[in-house]
Amino acid sequence: MAQQGSIYDLAYHGKTSDVKILLNLTESLKTQTDTNGRMLIHWAALGGHDDLVRHLLSLGSPVDPTDDTNMTPLILAASAGREKVVKTLITEGANVNAKTEDGHSSLQYAASKNWKSICVALLEKYADINIADKRGATPLHRAASKGNIAIVKLLLEHGKDLKIDQQDIYGNSALHLACEEDRREVAQLLVSYGADLYLTNKERKTPLDLAAPGLVRMLKEFKENPTTS
């Protein structure tokens, strides 16, 4: 968290007028960093304060500075569900495919946390739908394992670019994870879009090997008679 009482703390809590006064006295504060390597725009974005983000950008604050873990203001805003800020940063040219040092992107965070409107905004600005982190997990992996059905649906309906059977470093597809976590509705949806029930991971296990008996029955029946399910 931002150091209590600091200008970064004021930015995080949306004390815009106080921040403006301090910036008027010392404009160089706009690009100074705290102990996390974060600028004011990082904290304003994380707090969801669109007016302050816009003010900082108008003063010439960079739109895509990285902190000590390579987080940009856009990644922070996307992870925190700050839709207005996300849209402002995207409009101002923020890199929608920037990644943290662990490889997490704005779309991956938004998919994981079920922020559908933010996922839509990022995809409309050509965020890479198959972007993967250091463990090979994509937005579809994250949404499927969490059971975020609306996000899974959005990604599946987004078009031909989605690699539905993309595997992470363990060889797991989104369907593997959905089956392992017993996300029944997600698993059926993935299968209806052609996800491979018999794809093997690094341990030579298929999604069906990871699924509970009831889910195995359901998916096999669905595969045989998709129109009756």
Side-chain angles (χ1 to χ4, degrees):
M1 294 305 294
Q3 189 183 346
Q4 206 167 353
S6 68
I7 189 171
Y8 305 102
D9 189 50
L10 294 172
Y12 176 62
H13 287 103
K15 309 287 188 192
T16 303
S17 53
D18 294 342
V19 173
K20 282 182 177 178
I21 289 165
L22 292 167
L23 285 168
N24 283 338
L25 293 170
T26 316
E27 197 182 312
S28 62
L29 285 169
K30 74 186 179 199
T31 53
Q32 281 183 23
T33 55
D34 66 3
T35 52
N36 302 298
R38 289 183 180 176
M39 292 183 190
L40 290 173
I41 194 168
H42 283 102
W43 289 109
L46 182 60
H49 308 297
D50 190 54
D51 55 338
L52 183 52
V53 169
R54 286 174 182 272
H55 181 67
L56 289 163
L57 290 170
S58 75
L59 293 179
S61 170
V63 73
D64 265 339
T66 53
D67 70 7
D68 60 7
T69 62
N70 277 352
M71 279 203 161
T72 63
L74 179 61
I75 292 172
L76 289 168
S79 71
R82 310 300 193 183
E83 185 182 349
K84 263 181 102 168
V85 173
V86 165
K87 288 182 173 175
T88 293
L89 291 169
I90 289 173
T91 301
E92 294 299 322
N95 177 7
V96 292
N97 292 318
K99 291 182 178 187
T100 67
E101 60 184 18
D102 292 322
H104 304 315
S105 68
S106 297
L107 183 59
Q108 198 190 43
Y109 274 116
S112 182
K113 296 194 176 184
N114 215 15
W115 306 123
K116 185 182 176 185
S117 55
I118 290 177
C119 288
V120 170
L122 291 164
L123 289 167
E124 282 176 351
K125 289 292 182 177
Y126 309 108
D128 179 359
I129 201 167
N130 301 305
I131 198 165
D133 64 20
K134 284 196 170 172
R135 293 185 175 180
T138 65
L140 186 63
H141 280 100
R142 297 296 289 269
S145 68
K146 292 282 187 76
N148 297 343
I149 189 77
I151 307 293
V152 172
K153 207 171 279 186
L154 172 71
L155 295 169
L156 290 169
E157 288 171 355
H158 197 260
K160 62 185 186 327
D161 294 334
L162 181 73
K163 295 173 183 168
I164 195 169
D165 289 321
Q166 189 162 321
Q167 292 169 282
D168 63 18
I169 61 167
Y170 309 105
N172 290 318
S173 65
L175 183 57
H176 277 94
L177 301 183
C179 287
E180 189 173 39
E181 298 291 338
D182 203 32
R183 309 293 190 188
R184 297 187 169 212
E185 201 180 350
V186 170
Q188 185 168 318
L189 186 62
L190 288 166
V191 171
S192 75
Y193 272 81
D196 188 350
L197 268 175
Y198 302 101
L199 183 72
T200 55
N201 64 15
K202 293 271 179 76
E203 295 177 347
R204 309 302 298 162
K205 291 188 186 304
T206 69
L208 291 175
D209 292 328
L210 302 177
L215 180 55
V216 172
R217 269 196 311 276
M218 189 184 95
L219 291 176
K220 282 185 170 174
E221 283 168 16
F222 178 75
K223 191 75 177 164
E224 285 163 21
N225 302 294
T227 49
T228 59
S229 299

